[in-house]
């Protein structure tokens, strides 16, 4: 049963455009994440938020910016996309009670930059 | 540094044969280890995770044992099924307050009849 929702499923755009992806979780978790899964299926953390506060910010280009309105929502904006941004962007959530907590993933947003 | 290594990119098996997917880690302390599975066009989901009390986690016939002496958390199953075909990620928690997961490169398991 899906509890982490992402929109859109798929987005095609051109270099230089701005895109925005949405993520919502209905699990009552207080921590949310954005991961990037590239064409080789490598999965890397980009950002994580705990109760609307940024707690992890990996080395990603400045054109990427996360936005959180409340602990159930975490959006991702890319200001001026580049070809290497083509990937699947996965949102996840967990309860930050300890290092054992499971992260639940959404279905992903597939971005194709032409 | 802290990292996770999965040596096999692709494992191809015949249905009914045993499965073993390798995972080793580097860590300066005792981490928590996880296996996530991602079926085609689906989200990754947790398959199993290590326990603090050295119990062996099991799920859907899969199991893994955390061996601190060899820094390993290999995934095993006695008999592969066609439905096990998927991408398997080993991951570790970075510890501290940020609960960041570091993933291995993933192993694609292809089970054939």
């Amino acid at each position: 049963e899906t509890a982490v929702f992402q929109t859109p499923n798929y987005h095609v755009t051109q270099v230089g455009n701005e895109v925005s992806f949405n993520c919502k979780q209905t699990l009552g978790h207080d921590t949310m994440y954005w991961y990037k899964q590239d064409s080789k299926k490598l999965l890397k953390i980009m950002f994580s938020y705990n109760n609307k506060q940024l707690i992890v910010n990996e080395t990603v280009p400045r054109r990427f910016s996360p936005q959180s309105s409340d602990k159930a929502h975490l959006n991702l904006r890319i200001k001026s996309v580049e070809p290497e941004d083509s990937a699947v962007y996965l949102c996840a959530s967990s309860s930050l009670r300890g290092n054992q907590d499971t992260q639940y993933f959404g279905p992903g947003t597939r971005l194709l930059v032409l | 540094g802290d990292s996770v290594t999965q040596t096999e990119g692709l494992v191809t098996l015949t249905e009914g044969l045993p499965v073993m997917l390798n995972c080793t880690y580097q860590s300066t302390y005792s981490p928590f280890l996880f296996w996530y599975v991602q079926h085609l066009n689906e989200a990754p989901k947790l398959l199993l995770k290590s326990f603090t009390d050295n119990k062996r986690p099991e799920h859907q016939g899969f199991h893994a044992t955390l061996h601190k002496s060899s820094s390993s958390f290999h995934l095993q199953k006695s008999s592969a099924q066609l439905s096990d075909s998927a991408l398997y990620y080993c991951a570790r928690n970075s510890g501290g307050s940020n609960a960041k997961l570091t993933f291995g490169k993933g192993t694609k398991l292809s089970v054939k009849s």
Side-chain angles (χ1 to χ4, degrees), chain A residues 41-103:
Chain A
K41 303 298 184 183
L42 293 176
L43 195 55
K44 288 191 177 175
I45 183 79
M46 298 177 71
F47 304 100
S48 72
Y49 267 72
N50 174 252
N51 279 322
K52 300 196 308 178
Q53 288 199 327
L54 181 67
I55 55 172
V56 170
N57 183 357
E58 292 297 293
T59 307
V60 297
R62 288 189 177 183
R63 60 181 180 277
F64 288 85
S65 59
Q67 298 163 325
S68 178
S69 56
D70 57 58
K71 67 178 186 177
H73 295 83
L74 182 64
N75 299 332
L76 181 67
R77 186 180 74 160
I78 312 175
K79 219 170 180 181
S80 177
V81 295
E82 297 188 9
E84 61 263 32
D85 298 337
S86 295
V88 176
Y89 292 87
L90 291 161
C91 176
S93 72
S94 73
S95 290
L96 196 66
R97 283 194 299 271
N99 295 329
Q100 263 190 313
D101 289 327
T102 301
Q103 292 189 15

Side-chain angles (χ1 to χ4, degrees), chain B residues 39-98:
Chain B
H39 287 92
L40 190 61
N41 296 323
E42 293 185 9
K45 57 185 178 183
L46 180 73
L47 182 60
L48 47 81
K49 60 185 176 183
S50 61
F51 287 106
T52 53
D53 57 0
N54 295 322
K55 285 183 187 174
R56 189 179 80 166
E58 296 191 29
H59 186 62
Q60 297 178 348
F62 286 93
H63 60 89
T65 303
L66 182 63
H67 289 290
K68 295 179 184 178
S69 58
S70 58
S71 298
S72 66
F73 191 58
H74 304 320
L75 183 68
Q76 294 178 275
K77 186 175 183 181
S78 59
S79 176
Q81 298 178 285
L82 295 175
S83 57
D84 294 331
S85 294
L87 184 57
Y88 291 81
Y89 290 101
C90 184
R92 50 153 295 159
N93 194 293
S94 61
S97 60
N98 63 31

Side-chain angles (χ1 to χ4, degrees), chain B residues 5-8 20-24 35 73-75 90 107:
Chain B
T5 301
Q6 292 180 252
T7 53
E8 308 117 334
M20 180 159 161
L21 306 184
N22 293 322
C23 175
T24 57
W35 277 100
F73 191 58
H74 304 320
L75 183 68
C90 184
T107 298

Side-chain angles (χ1 to χ4, degrees), chain B residues 4-18:
Chain B
V4 176
T5 301
Q6 292 180 252
T7 53
E8 308 117 334
L10 172 66
V11 172
T12 303
L13 287 174
T14 301
E15 189 179 15
L17 291 180

